[in-house]
mmCIF file with all atom_site columns, all heavy atoms in Angstrom:
data_model
loop_
_atom_site.group_PDB
_atom_site.id
_atom_site.type_symbol
_atom_site.label_atom_id
_atom_site.label_alt_id
_atom_site.label_comp_id
_atom_site.label_asym_id
_atom_site.label_entity_id
_atom_site.label_seq_id
_atom_site.pdbx_PDB_ins_code
_atom_site.Cartn_x
_atom_site.Cartn_y
_atom_site.Cartn_z
_atom_site.occupancy
_atom_site.B_iso_or_equiv
_atom_site.pdbx_formal_charge
_atom_site.auth_seq_id
_atom_site.auth_comp_id
_atom_site.auth_asym_id
_atom_site.auth_atom_id
_atom_site.pdbx_PDB_model_num
ATOM 1   N N   . SER A 1 26 ? 100.905 -14.921 41.927 1.00 38.00 ? 40 SER A N   1
ATOM 2   C CA  . SER A 1 26 ? 99.960  -14.489 40.905 1.00 38.00 ? 40 SER A CA  1
ATOM 3   C C   . SER A 1 26 ? 99.924  -15.453 39.756 1.00 38.00 ? 40 SER A C   1
ATOM 4   O O   . SER A 1 26 ? 98.897  -15.604 39.106 1.00 38.00 ? 40 SER A O   1
ATOM 5   C CB  . SER A 1 26 ? 100.339 -13.097 40.390 1.00 38.00 ? 40 SER A CB  1
ATOM 6   O OG  . SER A 1 26 ? 101.569 -13.142 39.717 1.00 38.00 ? 40 SER A OG  1
ATOM 7   N N   . VAL A 1 27 ? 101.048 -16.102 39.456 1.00 36.00 ? 41 VAL A N   1
ATOM 8   C CA  . VAL A 1 27 ? 101.060 -17.070 38.367 1.00 36.00 ? 41 VAL A CA  1
ATOM 9   C C   . VAL A 1 27 ? 100.554 -18.419 38.837 1.00 36.00 ? 41 VAL A C   1
ATOM 10  O O   . VAL A 1 27 ? 99.867  -19.137 38.117 1.00 36.00 ? 41 VAL A O   1
ATOM 11  C CB  . VAL A 1 27 ? 102.484 -17.202 37.788 1.00 36.00 ? 41 VAL A CB  1
ATOM 12  C CG1 . VAL A 1 27 ? 102.502 -18.175 36.647 1.00 36.00 ? 41 VAL A CG1 1
ATOM 13  C CG2 . VAL A 1 27 ? 102.970 -15.844 37.328 1.00 36.00 ? 41 VAL A CG2 1
ATOM 14  N N   . ARG A 1 28 ? 100.862 -18.761 40.115 1.00 39.00 ? 42 ARG A N   1
ATOM 15  C CA  . ARG A 1 28 ? 100.399 -20.037 40.639 1.00 39.00 ? 42 ARG A CA  1
ATOM 16  C C   . ARG A 1 28 ? 98.879  -20.110 40.584 1.00 39.00 ? 42 ARG A C   1
ATOM 17  O O   . ARG A 1 28 ? 98.289  -21.167 40.394 1.00 39.00 ? 42 ARG A O   1
ATOM 18  C CB  . ARG A 1 28 ? 100.883 -20.214 42.071 1.00 39.00 ? 42 ARG A CB  1
ATOM 19  C CG  . ARG A 1 28 ? 100.552 -21.590 42.644 1.00 39.00 ? 42 ARG A CG  1
ATOM 20  C CD  . ARG A 1 28 ? 100.919 -21.685 44.116 1.00 39.00 ? 42 ARG A CD  1
ATOM 21  N NE  . ARG A 1 28 ? 102.342 -21.621 44.316 1.00 39.00 ? 42 ARG A NE  1
ATOM 22  C CZ  . ARG A 1 28 ? 102.947 -20.599 44.900 1.00 39.00 ? 42 ARG A CZ  1
ATOM 23  N NH1 . ARG A 1 28 ? 102.243 -19.578 45.349 1.00 39.00 ? 42 ARG A NH1 1
ATOM 24  N NH2 . ARG A 1 28 ? 104.264 -20.584 45.054 1.00 39.00 ? 42 ARG A NH2 1
ATOM 25  N N   . ASN A 1 29 ? 98.233  -18.962 40.770 1.00 39.00 ? 43 ASN A N   1
ATOM 26  C CA  . ASN A 1 29 ? 96.777  -18.931 40.798 1.00 39.00 ? 43 ASN A CA  1
ATOM 27  C C   . ASN A 1 29 ? 96.140  -19.236 39.456 1.00 39.00 ? 43 ASN A C   1
ATOM 28  O O   . ASN A 1 29 ? 94.923  -19.317 39.350 1.00 39.00 ? 43 ASN A O   1
ATOM 29  C CB  . ASN A 1 29 ? 96.285  -17.551 41.272 1.00 39.00 ? 43 ASN A CB  1
ATOM 30  C CG  . ASN A 1 29 ? 96.482  -17.375 42.755 1.00 39.00 ? 43 ASN A CG  1
ATOM 31  O OD1 . ASN A 1 29 ? 96.574  -18.349 43.491 1.00 39.00 ? 43 ASN A OD1 1
ATOM 32  N ND2 . ASN A 1 29 ? 96.562  -16.122 43.196 1.00 39.00 ? 43 ASN A ND2 1
ATOM 33  N N   . LEU A 1 30 ? 96.941  -19.424 38.415 1.00 38.00 ? 44 LEU A N   1
ATOM 34  C CA  . LEU A 1 30 ? 96.395  -19.778 37.119 1.00 38.00 ? 44 LEU A CA  1
ATOM 35  C C   . LEU A 1 30 ? 95.613  -21.068 37.189 1.00 38.00 ? 44 LEU A C   1
ATOM 36  O O   . LEU A 1 30 ? 94.727  -21.323 36.372 1.00 38.00 ? 44 LEU A O   1
ATOM 37  C CB  . LEU A 1 30 ? 97.528  -19.917 36.088 1.00 38.00 ? 44 LEU A CB  1
ATOM 38  C CG  . LEU A 1 30 ? 98.185  -18.626 35.665 1.00 38.00 ? 44 LEU A CG  1
ATOM 39  C CD1 . LEU A 1 30 ? 99.376  -18.937 34.783 1.00 38.00 ? 44 LEU A CD1 1
ATOM 40  C CD2 . LEU A 1 30 ? 97.222  -17.732 34.966 1.00 38.00 ? 44 LEU A CD2 1
ATOM 41  N N   . GLY A 1 31 ? 95.959  -21.937 38.118 1.00 40.00 ? 45 GLY A N   1
ATOM 42  C CA  . GLY A 1 31 ? 95.246  -23.194 38.235 1.00 40.00 ? 45 GLY A CA  1
ATOM 43  C C   . GLY A 1 31 ? 93.890  -23.049 38.897 1.00 40.00 ? 45 GLY A C   1
ATOM 44  O O   . GLY A 1 31 ? 93.147  -24.008 38.997 1.00 40.00 ? 45 GLY A O   1
ATOM 45  N N   . ASN A 1 32 ? 93.543  -21.895 39.366 1.00 40.00 ? 46 ASN A N   1
ATOM 46  C CA  . ASN A 1 32 ? 92.292  -21.670 40.072 1.00 40.00 ? 46 ASN A CA  1
ATOM 47  C C   . ASN A 1 32 ? 91.256  -21.107 39.119 1.00 40.00 ? 46 ASN A C   1
ATOM 48  O O   . ASN A 1 32 ? 91.469  -20.103 38.463 1.00 40.00 ? 46 ASN A O   1
ATOM 49  C CB  . ASN A 1 32 ? 92.546  -20.674 41.216 1.00 40.00 ? 46 ASN A CB  1
ATOM 50  C CG  . ASN A 1 32 ? 91.343  -20.504 42.106 1.00 40.00 ? 46 ASN A CG  1
ATOM 51  O OD1 . ASN A 1 32 ? 90.223  -20.824 41.733 1.00 40.00 ? 46 ASN A OD1 1
ATOM 52  N ND2 . ASN A 1 32 ? 91.587  -19.990 43.298 1.00 40.00 ? 46 ASN A ND2 1
ATOM 53  N N   . ASP A 1 33 ? 90.104  -21.752 39.047 1.00 38.00 ? 47 ASP A N   1
ATOM 54  C CA  . ASP A 1 33 ? 89.068  -21.304 38.127 1.00 38.00 ? 47 ASP A CA  1
ATOM 55  C C   . ASP A 1 33 ? 88.502  -19.951 38.497 1.00 38.00 ? 47 ASP A C   1
ATOM 56  O O   . ASP A 1 33 ? 87.830  -19.308 37.694 1.00 38.00 ? 47 ASP A O   1
ATOM 57  C CB  . ASP A 1 33 ? 87.921  -22.326 38.088 1.00 38.00 ? 47 ASP A CB  1
ATOM 58  C CG  . ASP A 1 33 ? 88.294  -23.562 37.292 1.00 38.00 ? 47 ASP A CG  1
ATOM 59  O OD1 . ASP A 1 33 ? 89.034  -23.406 36.318 1.00 38.00 ? 47 ASP A OD1 1
ATOM 60  O OD2 . ASP A 1 33 ? 87.849  -24.654 37.654 1.00 38.00 ? 47 ASP A OD2 1
ATOM 61  N N   . ASN A 1 34 ? 88.768  -19.465 39.724 1.00 35.00 ? 48 ASN A N   1
ATOM 62  C CA  . ASN A 1 34 ? 88.181  -18.211 40.167 1.00 35.00 ? 48 ASN A CA  1
ATOM 63  C C   . ASN A 1 34 ? 89.093  -17.007 39.942 1.00 35.00 ? 48 ASN A C   1
ATOM 64  O O   . ASN A 1 34 ? 88.759  -15.898 40.321 1.00 35.00 ? 48 ASN A O   1
ATOM 65  C CB  . ASN A 1 34 ? 87.838  -18.298 41.660 1.00 35.00 ? 48 ASN A CB  1
ATOM 66  C CG  . ASN A 1 34 ? 86.773  -19.337 41.924 1.00 35.00 ? 48 ASN A CG  1
ATOM 67  O OD1 . ASN A 1 34 ? 85.838  -19.473 41.142 1.00 35.00 ? 48 ASN A OD1 1
ATOM 68  N ND2 . ASN A 1 34 ? 86.910  -20.076 43.015 1.00 35.00 ? 48 ASN A ND2 1
ATOM 69  N N   . VAL A 1 35 ? 90.271  -17.236 39.342 1.00 34.00 ? 49 VAL A N   1
ATOM 70  C CA  . VAL A 1 35 ? 91.137  -16.094 39.110 1.00 34.00 ? 49 VAL A CA  1
ATOM 71  C C   . VAL A 1 35 ? 90.518  -15.182 38.086 1.00 34.00 ? 49 VAL A C   1
ATOM 72  O O   . VAL A 1 35 ? 89.748  -15.582 37.245 1.00 34.00 ? 49 VAL A O   1
ATOM 73  C CB  . VAL A 1 35 ? 92.538  -16.538 38.633 1.00 34.00 ? 49 VAL A CB  1
ATOM 74  C CG1 . VAL A 1 35 ? 93.256  -17.282 39.714 1.00 34.00 ? 49 VAL A CG1 1
ATOM 75  C CG2 . VAL A 1 35 ? 92.455  -17.358 37.372 1.00 34.00 ? 49 VAL A CG2 1
ATOM 76  N N   . THR A 1 36 ? 90.885  -13.925 38.151 1.00 32.00 ? 50 THR A N   1
ATOM 77  C CA  . THR A 1 36 ? 90.355  -12.947 37.213 1.00 32.00 ? 50 THR A CA  1
ATOM 78  C C   . THR A 1 36 ? 91.440  -12.522 36.256 1.00 32.00 ? 50 THR A C   1
ATOM 79  O O   . THR A 1 36 ? 92.560  -13.005 36.281 1.00 32.00 ? 50 THR A O   1
ATOM 80  C CB  . THR A 1 36 ? 89.857  -11.704 37.969 1.00 32.00 ? 50 THR A CB  1
ATOM 81  O OG1 . THR A 1 36 ? 90.989  -11.070 38.552 1.00 32.00 ? 50 THR A OG1 1
ATOM 82  C CG2 . THR A 1 36 ? 88.865  -12.083 39.045 1.00 32.00 ? 50 THR A CG2 1
ATOM 83  N N   . ALA A 1 37 ? 91.087  -11.582 35.407 1.00 34.00 ? 51 ALA A N   1
ATOM 84  C CA  . ALA A 1 37 ? 92.042  -11.106 34.408 1.00 34.00 ? 51 ALA A CA  1
ATOM 85  C C   . ALA A 1 37 ? 93.091  -10.197 34.994 1.00 34.00 ? 51 ALA A C   1
ATOM 86  O O   . ALA A 1 37 ? 93.971  -9.728  34.282 1.00 34.00 ? 51 ALA A O   1
ATOM 87  C CB  . ALA A 1 37 ? 91.301  -10.364 33.302 1.00 34.00 ? 51 ALA A CB  1
ATOM 88  N N   . ARG A 1 38 ? 93.059  -9.960  36.312 1.00 34.00 ? 52 ARG A N   1
ATOM 89  C CA  . ARG A 1 38 ? 94.007  -9.030  36.917 1.00 34.00 ? 52 ARG A CA  1
ATOM 90  C C   . ARG A 1 38 ? 95.313  -9.728  37.280 1.00 34.00 ? 52 ARG A C   1
ATOM 91  O O   . ARG A 1 38 ? 95.902  -9.486  38.335 1.00 34.00 ? 52 ARG A O   1
ATOM 92  C CB  . ARG A 1 38 ? 93.386  -8.384  38.155 1.00 34.00 ? 52 ARG A CB  1
ATOM 93  C CG  . ARG A 1 38 ? 92.059  -7.691  37.873 1.00 34.00 ? 52 ARG A CG  1
ATOM 94  C CD  . ARG A 1 38 ? 91.499  -7.069  39.125 1.00 34.00 ? 52 ARG A CD  1
ATOM 95  N NE  . ARG A 1 38 ? 92.292  -5.918  39.549 1.00 34.00 ? 52 ARG A NE  1
ATOM 96  C CZ  . ARG A 1 38 ? 92.050  -4.686  39.150 1.00 34.00 ? 52 ARG A CZ  1
ATOM 97  N NH1 . ARG A 1 38 ? 91.078  -4.437  38.315 1.00 34.00 ? 52 ARG A NH1 1
ATOM 98  N NH2 . ARG A 1 38 ? 92.793  -3.689  39.587 1.00 34.00 ? 52 ARG A NH2 1
ATOM 99  N N   . LEU A 1 39 ? 95.757  -10.633 36.415 1.00 37.00 ? 53 LEU A N   1
ATOM 100 C CA  . LEU A 1 39 ? 97.021  -11.335 36.640 1.00 37.00 ? 53 LEU A CA  1
ATOM 101 C C   . LEU A 1 39 ? 98.147  -10.397 36.217 1.00 37.00 ? 53 LEU A C   1
ATOM 102 O O   . LEU A 1 39 ? 98.336  -10.102 35.056 1.00 37.00 ? 53 LEU A O   1
ATOM 103 C CB  . LEU A 1 39 ? 97.057  -12.618 35.814 1.00 37.00 ? 53 LEU A CB  1
ATOM 104 C CG  . LEU A 1 39 ? 98.273  -13.497 36.006 1.00 37.00 ? 53 LEU A CG  1
ATOM 105 C CD1 . LEU A 1 39 ? 98.353  -13.993 37.438 1.00 37.00 ? 53 LEU A CD1 1
ATOM 106 C CD2 . LEU A 1 39 ? 98.263  -14.644 35.046 1.00 37.00 ? 53 LEU A CD2 1
ATOM 107 N N   . ALA A 1 40 ? 98.880  -9.935  37.179 1.00 46.00 ? 54 ALA A N   1
ATOM 108 C CA  . ALA A 1 40 ? 99.833  -8.860  36.922 1.00 46.00 ? 54 ALA A CA  1
ATOM 109 C C   . ALA A 1 40 ? 101.138 -9.377  36.365 1.00 46.00 ? 54 ALA A C   1
ATOM 110 O O   . ALA A 1 40 ? 101.476 -10.552 36.467 1.00 46.00 ? 54 ALA A O   1
ATOM 111 C CB  . ALA A 1 40 ? 100.101 -8.095  38.213 1.00 46.00 ? 54 ALA A CB  1
ATOM 112 N N   . ASN A 1 41 ? 101.870 -8.467  35.769 1.00 63.00 ? 55 ASN A N   1
ATOM 113 C CA  . ASN A 1 41 ? 103.269 -8.698  35.444 1.00 63.00 ? 55 ASN A CA  1
ATOM 114 C C   . ASN A 1 41 ? 103.979 -9.099  36.744 1.00 63.00 ? 55 ASN A C   1
ATOM 115 O O   . ASN A 1 41 ? 103.886 -8.391  37.739 1.00 63.00 ? 55 ASN A O   1
ATOM 116 C CB  . ASN A 1 41 ? 103.830 -7.379  34.884 1.00 63.00 ? 55 ASN A CB  1
ATOM 117 C CG  . ASN A 1 41 ? 105.298 -7.452  34.537 1.00 63.00 ? 55 ASN A CG  1
ATOM 118 O OD1 . ASN A 1 41 ? 106.054 -8.214  35.134 1.00 63.00 ? 55 ASN A OD1 1
ATOM 119 N ND2 . ASN A 1 41 ? 105.693 -6.637  33.584 1.00 63.00 ? 55 ASN A ND2 1
ATOM 120 N N   . PRO A 1 42 ? 104.689 -10.220 36.781 1.00 73.00 ? 56 PRO A N   1
ATOM 121 C CA  . PRO A 1 42 ? 105.327 -10.653 38.030 1.00 73.00 ? 56 PRO A CA  1
ATOM 122 C C   . PRO A 1 42 ? 106.313 -9.653  38.607 1.00 73.00 ? 56 PRO A C   1
ATOM 123 O O   . PRO A 1 42 ? 106.700 -9.769  39.766 1.00 73.00 ? 56 PRO A O   1
ATOM 124 C CB  . PRO A 1 42 ? 106.057 -11.941 37.618 1.00 73.00 ? 56 PRO A CB  1
ATOM 125 C CG  . PRO A 1 42 ? 105.297 -12.444 36.461 1.00 73.00 ? 56 PRO A CG  1
ATOM 126 C CD  . PRO A 1 42 ? 104.836 -11.226 35.716 1.00 73.00 ? 56 PRO A CD  1
ATOM 127 N N   . LEU A 1 43 ? 106.737 -8.688  37.816 1.00 79.00 ? 57 LEU A N   1
ATOM 128 C CA  . LEU A 1 43 ? 107.675 -7.681  38.320 1.00 79.00 ? 57 LEU A CA  1
ATOM 129 C C   . LEU A 1 43 ? 106.973 -6.493  38.961 1.00 79.00 ? 57 LEU A C   1
ATOM 130 O O   . LEU A 1 43 ? 107.625 -5.644  39.575 1.00 79.00 ? 57 LEU A O   1
ATOM 131 C CB  . LEU A 1 43 ? 108.564 -7.181  37.177 1.00 79.00 ? 57 LEU A CB  1
ATOM 132 C CG  . LEU A 1 43 ? 109.482 -8.224  36.533 1.00 79.00 ? 57 LEU A CG  1
ATOM 133 C CD1 . LEU A 1 43 ? 110.209 -7.623  35.340 1.00 79.00 ? 57 LEU A CD1 1
ATOM 134 C CD2 . LEU A 1 43 ? 110.481 -8.761  37.545 1.00 79.00 ? 57 LEU A CD2 1
ATOM 135 N N   . GLN A 1 44 ? 105.664 -6.413  38.809 1.00 75.00 ? 58 GLN A N   1
ATOM 136 C CA  . GLN A 1 44 ? 104.954 -5.267  39.359 1.00 75.00 ? 58 GLN A CA  1
ATOM 137 C C   . GLN A 1 44 ? 105.021 -5.269  40.885 1.00 75.00 ? 58 GLN A C   1
ATOM 138 O O   . GLN A 1 44 ? 104.953 -6.308  41.523 1.00 75.00 ? 58 GLN A O   1
ATOM 139 C CB  . GLN A 1 44 ? 103.500 -5.272  38.898 1.00 75.00 ? 58 GLN A CB  1
ATOM 140 C CG  . GLN A 1 44 ? 103.330 -4.885  37.443 1.00 75.00 ? 58 GLN A CG  1
ATOM 141 C CD  . GLN A 1 44 ? 101.879 -4.892  37.019 1.00 75.00 ? 58 GLN A CD  1
ATOM 142 O OE1 . GLN A 1 44 ? 101.006 -5.253  37.789 1.00 75.00 ? 58 GLN A OE1 1
ATOM 143 N NE2 . GLN A 1 44 ? 101.630 -4.495  35.776 1.00 75.00 ? 58 GLN A NE2 1
ATOM 144 N N   . GLY A 1 45 ? 105.148 -4.083  41.453 1.00 77.00 ? 59 GLY A N   1
ATOM 145 C CA  . GLY A 1 45 ? 105.183 -3.944  42.890 1.00 77.00 ? 59 GLY A CA  1
ATOM 146 C C   . GLY A 1 45 ? 106.556 -4.073  43.504 1.00 77.00 ? 59 GLY A C   1
ATOM 147 O O   . GLY A 1 45 ? 106.717 -3.894  44.716 1.00 77.00 ? 59 GLY A O   1
ATOM 148 N N   . VAL A 1 46 ? 107.555 -4.388  42.697 1.00 83.00 ? 60 VAL A N   1
ATOM 149 C CA  . VAL A 1 46 ? 108.912 -4.519  43.217 1.00 83.00 ? 60 VAL A CA  1
ATOM 150 C C   . VAL A 1 46 ? 109.568 -3.140  43.212 1.00 83.00 ? 60 VAL A C   1
ATOM 151 O O   . VAL A 1 46 ? 109.637 -2.491  42.170 1.00 83.00 ? 60 VAL A O   1
ATOM 152 C CB  . VAL A 1 46 ? 109.750 -5.493  42.363 1.00 83.00 ? 60 VAL A CB  1
ATOM 153 C CG1 . VAL A 1 46 ? 111.111 -5.720  43.016 1.00 83.00 ? 60 VAL A CG1 1
ATOM 154 C CG2 . VAL A 1 46 ? 109.020 -6.799  42.157 1.00 83.00 ? 60 VAL A CG2 1
#
Side-chain angles (χ1 to χ4, degrees):
S40 66
V41 181
R42 186 186 293 112
N43 286 337
L44 289 173
N46 187 341
D47 285 326
N48 296 321
V49 294
T50 66
R52 304 180 70 90
L53 184 62
N55 178 331
L57 297 175
Q58 287 180 356
V60 186

